Amino acid sequence: MQPTSSLPPLIEREILFGNPERISPKLSPDGKYLAYIAPDEQNVLQVWLRTVGQQDDRILTADKKRGIHIFFWTYNVDQLVYMQDSDGDENFHLYLVTIHHSQTEPGKEIVRDLTPFQGVKANPVELDPKFPDQLLVEMNLKDPQKSDVYRVNLRNGAVEFDTDNPGNIVSWQADATFIIRAATATTPDGGSDLLYKENDQAWEVLRHWGPNEEGASIIFSADGKKLYIEGNHDANAMRLLALDLATRQETVIAEDEQYDVGIVMVQPITRVIQAVSFNKDRQEWRILDQSIAADFEAIALVRPGEFMIVSRDLEDLNWLIAYTTDNGPVYYYAYNRESKTSTFLFSNQPKLEGLQLASMQPICYNARDGLEIHGYLTKPVGIPAQNLPTVLLVHGGPWVRDTWGYDSVVQWLANRGYAVLQVNYRGSTGYGKAFLNAGNREWAGKMHDDLIDGVNWLVAQGIADPKKIAIMGGSYGGYATLVGLTFTPEVFAAGVDIVGPSSLITLIETIPPYWEPLRAMLYHRVGNLETEEEFLKSRSPLFFIDRIQKPLLIGQGANDPRVKQAESDQIVNAMRQRNLPVEYVLYPDEGHGFARPENRLHFFAITEEFLAKYLGGRFEPMGDIPGHSGVIR
């Protein structure tokens, strides 16, 4: 290994994995108030409020333990909604916070559980500025396997049944009159249908997407005559289309030959599509509405990095902009469209400013079958990028992708002296359907080959020490870690699996009930549990543990509804029966990942020593971490 004396000072884990100082700012509809998430005195994330232009910040919520991560304003200026589950079980409730601004009760808030149903998963469907007292919510209240739509009255909390789910609908779309008129439904072939209905008539199928295609509705036009949709039918990459509901003709609004359309920016009142993004190596914006062209020009000059409009008031005069970069915090600015001026609000982690953080470099190589693979390489600061200990950090999903930008895990590893390779292996999204479908039935097959080809590419560049490479990831990345230690045991010196499935058979057998509409898709893309059990077994690390040669560390949330605790338990038990090296940490108050900062700090402290032991990087001693729930098993 290279000498570490030239590396920057050790960055404390608390800075990297602790709570942000402030994050997720959102403007009230009238532009008078700014809400955001920040920790309270007990270091639990809460929703805070300030009057725009003043420093009268105050806490609105009182979550006791897990912290609030998701909230949004309603179109009533005195009401916002936050989401919370119980210890990671993903049965989210929606809580309404009504803020009173009276002389008699200054700072008085009322919190109401809008969805007070045990064991039920609630998810917001739509808000509309013309119907400020209503919220459409989907809940699996009648049947755990399907979510119907309910209309919630934000003034009195009344919950009214709105739209029945025949059993296969997975997303809904309301028109400008706040009536559900479109939906996306899964089909028995693993594909999906675009559904539409006029008023109280029956659903009709506007378009079918086959199992190797994808699509969804985005929004109705203001006059209800067009439905804007995304789809990769008749093209390789996902396009943005306008579907004329009278003629059923489609018009292309935005497309790229290779890359799927990303963010679709819509004016909330006029419902005009204003801009779309394409995530290539870096994000690229394409402006469709010239009325915002000068705004985007002004915003782009404020600071380097990628930007996104994260909030806007109803008059559309004030926007909040988030600027992201690969080697620093997220910076939030208030932007005024009349004056074209920006005012700095705050960054999410000021303690990152001034630190020697590493840059993330887009990379590209050809897999063994010739397929072009993209990804990112982050090299440690201060030492030559030669013969370095390396961590292959595998993204979850698998049907998502890594993107350019700050990543706390990546920076932590680079600061400890490791090169970090992130691979958008086949099956990752964003690169068109041919690339996505190349991953079908390739779990532990060609998807894993792409990872190994990335490692070999890095070794050939002289960057990675072939004897000091670890594999690490969460969810599918955890599965890939287990595959790495069983299917290619000679490649890796160690593995770190976070909430990864060890058997594709038990994974599919125990999917959450509300994933039932996705079963056909899973069968198509992963393997059919009913007819191909042996095939699924052949792609499951649990049945190949005798091949394991190198140490494994596993972190698991006890309440994970997607990858059950049994997935980790069964491989740990089997390895211990054979005296194979495995360490196991269970978190009783977590689900699919670690939401509480105390638990993140605990697990990554253990991981840091584990990697240092087998790769030789630096580590910060664990020390005392009060409040974590980790149980070393």
Side-chain angles (χ1 to χ4, degrees):
M1 178 180 170
Q2 294 284 342
T4 61
S5 57
S6 300
L7 286 168
L10 215 60
I11 300 173
E12 296 176 18
R13 281 188 303 273
E14 178 66 43
I15 294 175
L16 295 164
F17 300 119
N19 276 328
E21 289 199 15
R22 282 180 287 194
I23 200 168
S24 302
K26 294 180 174 65
L27 282 171
S28 61
D30 60 3
K32 292 182 179 179
Y33 298 101
L34 175 73
Y36 59 91
I37 290 174
D40 60 14
E41 290 183 353
Q42 284 72 46
N43 198 33
V44 178
L45 292 177
Q46 309 289 357
V47 181
W48 291 62
L49 183 78
R50 76 160 61 154
T51 308
V52 170
Q54 299 184 29
Q55 299 295 321
D56 57 351
D57 303 46
R58 59 190 177 90
I59 299 181
L60 296 180
T61 58
D63 191 79
K64 299 301 182 189
K65 179 182 177 185
R66 191 161 178 78
I68 295 167
H69 299 265
I70 305 169
F71 82 96
F72 53 89
W73 283 98
T74 71
Y75 285 108
N76 286 322
V77 297
D78 63 340
Q79 291 183 325
L80 51 81
V81 173
Y82 70 88
M83 299 174 63
Q84 187 59 284
D85 68 350
S86 177
D87 287 341
D89 66 1
E90 297 188 18
N91 288 324
F92 284 96
H93 290 227
L94 304 183
Y95 294 90
L96 182 74
V97 182
T98 301
I99 308 149
H100 291 284
H101 302 284
S102 67
Q103 296 301 314
T104 55
E105 294 183 293
K108 172 69 174 175
E109 290 83 46
I110 296 176
V111 177
R112 182 204 298 266
D113 186 350
L114 294 174
T115 57
F117 311 108
Q118 289 302 113
V120 170
K121 182 183 178 75
N123 191 50
V125 172
E126 202 135 3
L127 289 161
D128 192 286
K130 297 189 297 298
F131 301 87
D133 290 336
Q134 297 179 34
L135 170 64
L136 293 176
V137 178
E138 62 175 359
M139 290 186 283
N140 56 346
L141 186 57
K142 291 184 174 181
D143 182 341
Q145 294 187 0
K146 71 183 187 85
S147 292
D148 304 305
V149 178
Y150 294 81
R151 193 171 292 259
V152 179
N153 186 307
L154 297 175
R155 287 302 179 193
N156 61 23
V159 177
E160 176 186 341
F161 184 83
D162 186 87
T163 307
D164 178 66
N165 187 340
N168 61 338
I169 291 177
V170 291
S171 69
W172 310 86
Q173 202 68 60
D175 66 5
T177 66
F178 216 45
I179 303 297
I180 296 287
R181 287 180 59 208
T184 306
T186 58
T187 51
D189 64 352
S192 58
D193 283 340
L194 176 63
L195 304 181
Y196 170 72
K197 66 176 179 177
E198 287 279 4
N199 302 320
D200 293 330
Q201 297 179 18
W203 291 108
E204 60 174 307
V205 178
L206 291 184
R207 165 167 293 287
H208 175 65
W209 288 289
N212 287 328
E213 297 176 323
E214 290 187 301
S217 61
I218 300 298
I219 195 170
F220 280 93
S221 61
D223 61 9
K225 294 180 179 179
K226 291 180 180 177
L227 178 61
Y228 298 104
I229 66 172
E230 289 179 354
N232 56 17
H233 54 281
D234 305 326
N236 176 50
M238 193 78 76
R239 304 183 293 175
L240 180 63
L241 307 160
L243 172 59
D244 186 305
L245 294 169
T247 66
R248 306 295 162 89
Q249 295 298 306
E250 294 175 355
T251 305
V252 178
I253 298 175
E255 65 179 335
D256 184 274
E257 286 187 6
Q258 181 179 356
Y259 295 92
D260 297 332
V261 68
I263 299 168
V264 179
M265 180 175 159
V266 182
Q267 213 290 338
I269 300 292
T270 65
R271 293 175 169 247
V272 168
I273 308 286
Q274 296 188 297
V276 298
S277 71
F278 293 92
N279 241 325
K280 302 184 179 182
D281 286 342
R282 299 273 301 269
Q283 175 182 267
E284 294 181 13
W285 280 105
R286 195 170 301 174
I287 297 170
L288 304 175
D289 176 7
Q290 287 306 306
S291 73
I292 65 166
D295 298 305
F296 269 54
E297 287 179 17
I299 290 166
L301 296 174
V302 172
R303 65 177 307 121
E306 298 178 355
F307 66 83
M308 184 171 67
I309 292 83
V310 294
S311 184
R312 57 208 295 181
D313 62 18
L314 274 182
E315 287 191 48
D316 215 15
L317 295 179
N318 297 291
W319 291 356
L320 298 185
I321 317 295
Y323 293 86
T324 59
T325 184
D326 56 344
N327 58 356
V330 180
Y331 293 90
Y332 296 102
Y333 283 74
Y335 171 75
N336 182 273
R337 297 190 65 208
E338 287 183 320
S339 63
K340 302 287 189 286
T341 56
S342 297
T343 305
F344 175 68
L345 291 173
F346 48 76
S347 73
N348 69 328
Q349 275 286 36
K351 290 179 181 177
L352 292 173
E353 298 171 32
L355 297 179
Q356 291 179 271
L357 298 174
S359 60
M360 182 182 280
Q361 170 191 344
I363 56 108
C364 177
Y365 60 89
N366 287 330
R368 64 191 67 178
D369 63 357
L371 188 64
E372 187 175 73
I373 306 294
H374 292 260
Y376 299 92
L377 173 63
T378 304
K379 296 176 284 190
V381 175
I383 58 175
Q386 299 169 2
N387 207 37
L388 292 171
T390 297
V391 176
L392 173 64
L393 186 63
V394 187
H395 71 69
W399 304 297
V400 294
R401 59 161 286 183
D402 282 320
T403 56
W404 182 89
Y406 174 81
D407 183 310
S408 58
V409 174
V410 171
Q411 293 295 337
W412 163 66
L413 292 169
N415 178 260
R416 272 47 175 172
Y418 305 114
V420 185
L421 178 64
Q422 297 170 278
V423 174
N424 284 324
Y425 47 85
R426 70 191 69 203
S428 301
T429 54
Y431 296 92
K433 68 184 179 188
F435 191 84
L436 175 68
N437 294 326
N440 290 348
R441 301 172 59 79
E442 294 296 344
W443 288 44
K446 292 180 180 178
M447 291 164 75
H448 188 66
D449 290 345
D450 292 345
L451 299 176
I452 301 303
D453 293 344
V455 168
N456 292 337
W457 172 83
L458 202 59
V459 169
Q461 301 283 314
I463 295 171
D465 179 346
K467 296 178 181 178
K468 293 184 177 180
I469 299 173
I471 181 169
M472 173 177 173
S475 195
Y476 177 88
Y479 164 82
T481 296
L482 300 179
V483 171
L485 295 194
T486 50
F487 285 66
T488 51
E490 71 288 346
V491 175
F492 299 105
V496 181
D497 154 32
I498 304 168
V499 298
S502 58
S503 165
L504 297 185
I505 296 170
T506 50
L507 173 71
I508 298 175
E509 282 177 342
T510 60
I511 58 172
Y514 44 82
W515 278 20
E516 198 56 39
L518 302 175
R519 182 178 290 274
M521 181 274 289
L522 289 172
Y523 281 9
H524 176 74
R525 293 203 182 275
V526 183
N528 191 315
L529 180 63
E530 295 166 26
T531 61
E532 298 181 299
E533 186 170 329
E534 284 304 311
F535 170 73
L536 292 171
K537 187 176 180 180
S538 75
R539 301 295 177 91
S540 297
L542 179 64
F543 302 103
F544 299 94
I545 59 169
D546 287 335
R547 300 180 182 175
I548 292 178
Q549 303 170 8
K550 303 297 170 48
L552 172 64
L553 169 63
I554 295 179
Q556 176 70 45
N559 305 311
D560 191 338
R562 309 183 197 190
V563 178
K564 303 291 194 294
Q565 179 186 330
E567 291 296 321
S568 293
D569 287 351
Q570 62 192 4
I571 195 165
V572 169
N573 293 337
M575 288 180 67
R576 285 187 173 154
Q577 286 174 9
R578 293 164 176 79
N579 293 316
L580 294 170
V582 60
E583 299 176 37
Y584 183 25
V585 193
L586 181 70
Y587 295 88
D589 56 359
E590 294 286 9
H592 198 61
F594 310 136
R596 296 184 61 234
E598 299 89 344
N599 292 336
R600 289 196 300 274
L601 290 166
H602 182 256
F603 184 75
F604 286 120
I606 292 171
T607 303
E608 192 166 315
E609 289 202 35
F610 177 84
L611 291 174
K613 183 176 180 180
Y614 297 109
L615 298 188
R618 305 189 297 175
F619 71 94
E620 174 191 359
M622 176 179 279
D624 184 34
I625 305 173
H628 79 82
S629 69
V631 179
I632 297 174
R633 309 237 331 207

